[in-house]
Amino acid sequence: MIAIIDYNVGNLHNLKNALDYQGLPNRIVREAHELAGADHIILPGVGAFRPAMDQLRKAGMESVVRERVAAGVPFLGVCVGLQLLFDESEEDGVHEGLGLVGGRIVRFSGADRQGERLKVPQIGWNQVAWQKTDPLLEGIADRSYFYFVHSYYAAVRDPADALGMADYGERFAAVVRHGNVWGVQFHPEKSQNAGLRLLKNFASLRPA
């Protein structure tokens, strides 16, 4: 069973529908104790880093998330859920994250390498280049397109944690992994066949 954490920071139904469509058992959980029996956990999220982290703590989920990760449960952060995995974010000040992946969340400069302006947030399709093989990416072509909506991105401390890189004025980690923790900056539930395959791959991951 895949637990989708509901901590009042986004519409979870598209993600749930994408899992349901593939026959992948899942449920939305709102209480920390409900994570105890989950084989896999997804942390979605939209909006800003600090309110999302505050809501996660308010829901009593922070310590339980750490416990389940330490127990080897496959864990996936999506969009702001990926950002919360990191040590800290510079969005509206400096704010502490879960610290499950080393690095920080920083804002796009809004300029490309030729000095021309880019719209921030990045909204739309972008290619992701695989940096290494991984079970999460199995059967998904290198440089597949995924759907993004974000103004901030993950600057990983250890390049080995970056599974996939994208470019929007600067190169950034679009897919990360550290142990049994994975994260994607894009929305797999909005990324058609490539996104559906990624969710199916996640459901197939074995506990650490």
Side-chain angles (χ1 to χ4, degrees), residues 94-158:
V94 178
H95 304 284
E96 184 180 351
L98 290 166
L100 299 174
V101 184
R104 68 196 315 263
I105 305 302
V106 299
R107 184 176 171 83
F108 282 120
S109 67
D112 67 14
R113 292 183 180 85
Q114 286 71 47
E116 297 187 11
R117 302 304 298 171
L118 295 171
K119 291 183 179 180
V120 176
Q122 175 187 200
I123 302 177
W125 297 88
N126 200 349
Q127 285 181 298
V128 180
W130 304 148
Q131 305 302 292
K132 59 179 73 175
T133 59
D134 189 86
L136 186 71
L137 311 177
E138 184 177 348
I140 306 173
D142 183 29
R143 300 191 179 276
S144 289
Y145 281 87
F146 295 89
Y147 190 81
F148 291 81
V149 182
H150 63 129
S151 300
Y152 291 78
Y153 66 90
V156 296
R157 179 182 304 136
D158 184 351

Side-chain angles (χ1 to χ4, degrees), residues 37-55:
D39 301 313
H40 298 72
I41 300 172
I42 298 179
L43 178 66
V46 296
F49 184 99
R50 182 185 59 78
M53 194 67 206
D54 287 347
Q55 284 294 106

Side-chain angles (χ1 to χ4, degrees), residues 8-67:
N8 298 316
V9 293
N11 183 349
L12 311 182
H13 295 294
N14 287 338
L15 179 57
K16 180 170 175 43
N17 288 342
L19 296 171
D20 289 343
Y21 176 76
Q22 300 185 89
L24 302 173
N26 69 90
R27 63 173 174 161
I28 293 172
V29 302
R30 298 178 177 86
E31 302 290 337
H33 68 85
E34 296 180 278
L35 295 178
D39 301 313
H40 298 72
I41 300 172
I42 298 179
L43 178 66
V46 296
F49 184 99
R50 182 185 59 78
M53 194 67 206
D54 287 347
Q55 284 294 106
L56 192 67
R57 291 185 176 118
K58 184 178 179 181
M61 295 284 189
E62 181 180 12
S63 61
V64 180
V65 163
R66 295 181 192 279
E67 290 171 6

Side-chain angles (χ1 to χ4, degrees), residues 75-96:
F75 191 93
L76 176 67
V78 174
C79 194
V80 171
L82 167 138
Q83 296 181 8
L84 296 181
L85 302 176
F86 283 78
D87 295 320
E88 63 182 24
S89 171
E90 67 173 30
E91 184 175 5
D92 298 326
V94 178
H95 304 284
E96 184 180 351

